[in-house]
């Protein structure tokens, strides 16, 4: 903001060069501005941005989508996540949005944001995923201290600590509080036995055991940091993010990123089928996520909907 100018209350982005044609403009976005001397301390320790907007795929049922979201939200709650931001497209089943708001928004665990991609001549990757990532970063600036950028089939799985908050605090301290991004290597988890995930006694009727606390086979294929990896960032130090890494940071004595060792934590990516370049050779059982099983199941047992 230039000295002497008025601070706008709302802004919109346009892909048109002619008078910001409304037909090619985004929704109006509220501007949140804090004077540098009065910037509030983050109230949330660990938050999550789901970086791909939710949409209904052909043939996907309401029950399947609801279970996916319940699995993801309750697993992250068990990991110590305090705030999750989800974006959804207009074609999503309206019952999903109502369910999320009724069940989780009142707990201040969930932000549910309607997403309207730009109308452009060229296709946008995953409905404007990069824009979602930037919007979520700045939406949570000054509110969340550590912000994970992941999808609903992924979790950041800590090996040395019980909670993500404790792990991130230690990593942050070890790097003098001036590292903007922590990168987690992608490890694929797969259910080789094709477990049916049948309900356990006490679970909601028709509800299956979450894959996060059932699938234990970690594939051996390795991806280098920056390929299929995801990040947890310090929003106060990050300026721009890509899907798998940080692009730029604030000026000053700030380190761009640190590759978190695999024995500390990984990005656990749960897939129904292995990727083409991966197979079961060298796969091993990883039971780390089982330490959250009872907490996740207990939460689900007491929250049937």
């Amino acid at each position: 903001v230039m000295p002497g100018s008025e601070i706008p209350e709302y802004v919109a982005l346009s892909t048109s060069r002619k008078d910001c044609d409304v037909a090619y403009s985004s929704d109006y976005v509220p501007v949140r501005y804090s004077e540098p001397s009065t910037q509030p301390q983050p109230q949330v320790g660990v938050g999550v941005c789901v970086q791909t907007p939710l949409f209904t795929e052909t043939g996907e049922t309401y029950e399947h989508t609801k279970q996916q979201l319940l699995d993801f939200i309750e697993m992250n709650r068990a990991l110590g996540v305090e705030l999750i931001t989800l974006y959804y497209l207009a074609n999503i089943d309206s019952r999903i949005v109502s369910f999320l708001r009724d069940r989780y928004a009142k707990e201040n665990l969930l932000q549910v944001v309607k997403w309207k991609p730009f109308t452009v001549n060229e296709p946008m990757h995953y409905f404007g995923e990069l824009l979602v990532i930037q919007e979520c970063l700045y939406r949570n600036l000054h509110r969340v201290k550590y912000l994970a950028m992941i999808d609903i089939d992924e979790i950041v799985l800590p090996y040395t600590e019980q909670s993500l908050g404790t792990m991130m605090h230690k990593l942050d301290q070890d790097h003098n509080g001036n590292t903007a991004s922590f990168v987690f290597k992608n490890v694929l988890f797969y259910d080789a036995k094709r477990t049916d995930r049948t309900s356990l006694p006490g679970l909601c009727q028709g509800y299956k055991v979450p894959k996060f606390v059932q699938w234990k086979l970690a594939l051996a294929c390795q991806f280098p940091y920056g390929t299929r990896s995801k990040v947890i960032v310090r929003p106060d130090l990050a300026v721009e993010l890509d899907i798998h890494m940080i692009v730029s940071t604030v000026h000053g004595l700030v380190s761009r990123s640190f590759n978190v060792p695999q024995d500390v934590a990984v990005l656990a990516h749960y897939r129904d089928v292995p990727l083409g370049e991966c197979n079961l050779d060298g796969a091993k059982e990883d039971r780390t996520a089982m330490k959250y099983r009872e907490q996740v199941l207990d939460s689900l047992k007491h929250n049937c909907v």
Side-chain angles (χ1 to χ4, degrees):
V1 178
M2 297 297 293
S5 66
E6 293 185 4
I7 299 172
E9 294 184 7
Y10 296 88
V11 297
L13 301 178
S14 175
T15 57
S16 172
R17 294 177 179 269
K18 296 181 179 180
D19 301 321
C20 293
D21 190 336
V22 175
Y24 295 92
S25 295
S26 69
D27 290 337
Y28 283 100
V29 178
V31 175
R32 296 175 181 150
Y33 180 80
S34 299
E35 293 287 349
S37 60
T38 61
Q39 288 178 351
Q41 292 297 313
Q43 298 175 338
V44 174
V46 179
V48 162
C49 291
V50 179
Q51 59 188 50
T52 303
L54 300 177
F55 61 96
T56 300
E57 297 188 60
T58 302
E60 190 171 51
T61 65
Y62 165 71
E63 289 76 15
H64 174 75
T65 302
K66 186 174 78 170
Q67 168 137 18
Q68 277 190 309
L69 292 168
L70 274 170
D71 288 359
F72 179 81
I73 293 169
E74 293 300 342
M75 185 65 196
N76 275 283
R77 191 206 293 265
L79 287 163
V81 172
E82 300 167 64
L83 181 65
I84 298 170
T85 306
L86 280 165
Y87 296 79
Y88 68 93
L89 299 178
N91 84 327
I92 196 76
D93 189 323
S94 61
R95 292 176 295 173
I96 290 293
V97 179
S98 297
F99 159 71
L100 292 173
R101 286 180 171 155
D102 291 344
R103 177 160 177 168
Y104 291 110
K106 293 176 182 177
E107 300 179 40
N108 295 320
L109 177 64
L110 191 65
Q111 298 182 90
V112 186
V113 182
K114 186 175 182 179
W115 184 247
K116 177 185 174 183
F118 287 109
T119 302
V120 293
N121 294 328
E122 297 181 4
M124 299 186 72
H125 179 72
Y126 269 0
F127 310 103
E129 181 179 9
L130 279 173
L131 292 176
V132 169
I133 291 170
Q134 303 308 128
E135 205 279 346
C136 200
L137 171 66
Y138 286 98
R139 176 180 290 270
N140 289 290
L141 178 64
H142 305 314
R143 185 178 186 186
V144 176
K145 187 168 186 179
Y146 305 112
L147 190 62
M149 299 287 181
I150 57 178
D151 284 315
I152 62 171
D153 58 354
E154 301 169 334
I155 57 171
V156 177
L157 182 62
Y159 289 122
T160 57
E161 304 294 342
Q162 181 74 13
S163 77
L164 292 177
T166 302
M167 179 192 74
M168 289 308 305
H169 179 71
K170 289 185 177 181
L171 286 171
D172 203 12
Q173 280 193 325
D174 290 346
H175 293 83
N176 302 314
N178 68 350
T179 298
S181 167
F182 297 85
V183 187
F184 297 87
K185 182 170 278 194
N186 184 308
V187 174
L188 296 175
F189 280 70
Y190 173 61
D191 180 24
K193 297 180 180 179
R194 306 306 300 160
T195 308
D196 61 11
R197 299 174 62 200
T198 51
S199 297
L200 294 177
L203 277 186
C204 306
Q205 184 176 3
Y207 192 81
K208 298 177 182 179
V209 177
K211 59 189 174 187
F212 298 114
V213 292
Q214 186 154 339
W215 296 0
K216 311 182 229 7
L217 194 65
L219 302 189
C221 60
Q222 296 287 310
F223 301 101
Y225 288 100
T227 300
R228 297 188 177 275
S229 55
K230 295 291 175 65
V231 298
I232 294 180
V233 300
R234 285 267 307 270
D236 59 327
L237 301 180
V239 172
E240 183 181 355
L241 304 177
D242 203 337
I243 296 172
H244 303 292
M245 66 189 74
I246 191 169
V247 176
S248 60
T249 67
V250 298
H251 296 297
L253 299 176
V254 175
S255 173
R256 177 176 291 184
S257 65
F258 171 71
N259 294 335
V260 178
Q262 276 187 262
D263 60 351
V264 174
V266 299
L267 177 78
H269 186 179
Y270 291 75
R271 290 185 60 92
D272 293 319
V273 295
L275 291 171
E277 60 265 45
C278 294
N279 54 48
L280 298 181
D281 294 341
K284 63 179 182 180
E285 187 176 68
D286 187 328
R287 301 185 60 86
T288 307
M290 297 305 109
K291 62 186 178 183
Y292 305 103
R293 181 182 173 96
E294 291 307 313
Q295 182 178 346
V296 171
L297 295 181
D298 186 62
S299 181
L300 292 171
K301 289 174 183 178
H302 289 89
N303 288 283
C304 291
V305 290

